[in-house]
Amino acid sequence: MTFFLKTAAVLLCLSATACQSDNTTDLAADLNSSNPGVAAQASKVQQLQVQLEQQQATIEAEKQKLQAMQQQLDGARENLTGLKRQTAATQ
């Protein structure tokens, strides 16, 4: 499932970058602000954005993992039903 996690992270970063290009420019300017309070708060915003993006990527990867497990469960149930029918037919 590592592939799915990496894929989700890349897609999330790409979509976040496209949607937030103006905010990123503003944030970069704030990070370089001569006002220490503004720079410190901008740093906090940046850290929280990164944490949020990482968490969203993790959630998407877990959703894909859950979907794969559901498909495996459905397949296993179908196999069980088939085996029961086969057993009943041969008795």
Side-chain angles (χ1 to χ4, degrees), residues 50-61:
V50 168
Q51 289 175 0
L52 179 67
E53 290 168 4
Q54 290 173 342
Q55 188 63 36
Q56 287 173 333
T58 300
I59 289 168
E60 287 304 314

Side-chain angles (χ1 to χ4, degrees), residues 1-65:
M1 289 297 157
T2 304
F3 171 76
F4 291 116
L5 179 60
K6 289 179 182 177
T7 303
V10 169
L11 292 175
L12 184 63
C13 288
L14 290 174
S15 65
T17 301
C19 295
Q20 297 178 353
S21 60
D22 291 336
N23 291 339
T24 303
T25 304
D26 293 340
L27 185 59
D30 290 339
L31 285 167
N32 295 321
S33 175
S34 59
N35 181 327
V38 169
Q41 189 63 29
S43 177
K44 183 175 180 177
V45 168
Q46 183 183 43
Q47 290 172 353
L48 289 170
Q49 279 180 330
V50 168
Q51 289 175 0
L52 179 67
E53 290 168 4
Q54 290 173 342
Q55 188 63 36
Q56 287 173 333
T58 300
I59 289 168
E60 287 304 314
E62 289 298 319
K63 284 181 182 179
Q64 290 177 359
K65 195 166 142 181

Side-chain angles (χ1 to χ4, degrees), residues 75-91:
R77 284 183 175 154
E78 287 178 21
N79 286 342
L80 178 59
T81 300
L83 288 172
K84 285 180 178 181
R85 288 181 183 159
Q86 183 180 20
T87 302
T90 57
Q91 290 181 355

